[in-house]
Amino acid sequence: MKHYQIAKPNITAKEKDYVKKVLESGNLSLGPMYKLFEKRFARLIGTKYACSVSSGTAGLHLAMIAAGIKAGDEIITTPFSFIASANCILYVGAKPIFVDINPDTYNLNPKLIEKAITKKTKAILVVHIFGQACDMDPIIKIAKKYRLKIIEDACESILASYKRKKVGTFGQSAVFAFYPNKQITTGEGGMIVTDNRQVYELCSSLKNQGRTSDMQWLDHKYLGYNYRLDEISAALGVAQLERIKYLINQRAKIAKMYHKYLKAHHHLLKIPVVAKGNVDTWFVYVIQVLKDIDRDCLIGELAKNGIQTKNYLPSIHLFDFYKKTFGYKVGDFPISELVSSRSLALPFYIGLKETDIKYIVRKLIDLINKA
Ligand SMILES: *Cc1c(COP(=O)(O)O)cnc(C)c1O
């Protein structure tokens, strides 16, 4: 029986070569590689600055501090995301105010934002989910009207665009992530991008124990962290960046194949919707199971057939910790909850062939019909 994982990094001789060169150089941290990675990343996105960090989560934490978010502040964000986008708000003592999502794109529904704004609201943390940009025009309009900062969690959406403008260029800062399931990987790693020099300098200092660039090793200006990206990871990142067009194109091809074989089954499942004006860069391929069956049983049955799938994503407000701390409950964000209960991420990685997609779709449809 063939086995299909949900995700897999794409590593070639180039990545191995660049990593090997770093190992041979003996310079494993704070060398030339992280700087090169930052420079090329800023150029790719089109921002003035890029600050590498040890993970997307670390990047989000620093972006919150750099935006001046403090205890008592409220930040508007989505419940339909990976937990890190809400946790980073808690790290600085602020409160996430969730707003429900658009049922097609799974991104924040701009129409619901204004109602959630109070005197304490300081920022909107948008999350471009699954490789697709949020509907930014109305969000920017609201942010301007109420003088709110926009921070982008672009961890799942490198090179995705909205009306030809890349994600990562809409807010005060944006954060990307390079965990092995993302479009490009550094093992663990992340990047903060910004056009704001102060934000860049503060993040660069905070990730390096609060040292500023003119300071000696044992001198510290701020309460900092060790959120540095090491040279081995940065080398992996530089190699992946050199191949990014290929990596994104291949993902688009696989998404297209899934569309082709799944669309005939629209009575059983809903295939991903890419909003007009958006370019999706396919972090994952997530369908909605429309037939009233136990989705989690389906995940188990697929696994027995060698096909790994996942419940992307549970709604954040229903995690125990959030329920206990903020009193959120079932029914608070019905669209997010409905999507969470039906969604299924299919195996999605470079190397899947048309025969694999056909096989996965056939098994999936058989099992849904049998359930
Ligand atoms: C991957 C991801 C992050 C950051 O994850 P790390 O594992 O810390 O790099 C943050 N937000 C979202 C939406 C993500 O998918």
Side-chain angles (χ1 to χ4, degrees), residues 55-57 60 81-82 84-85 127 153 155-156 177 179 182 188-189:
S55 72
T57 306
L60 287 165
S81 174
F82 180 61
S85 64
V127 182
D153 178 339
C155 290
E156 298 188 358
Y179 187 73
K182 311 279 184 190
E188 297 282 359

Side-chain angles (χ1 to χ4, degrees), residues 172-189:
Q172 179 190 63
S173 63
V175 179
F176 294 86
F178 313 123
Y179 187 73
N181 66 349
K182 311 279 184 190
Q183 290 93 330
I184 66 166
T185 188
T186 60
E188 297 282 359

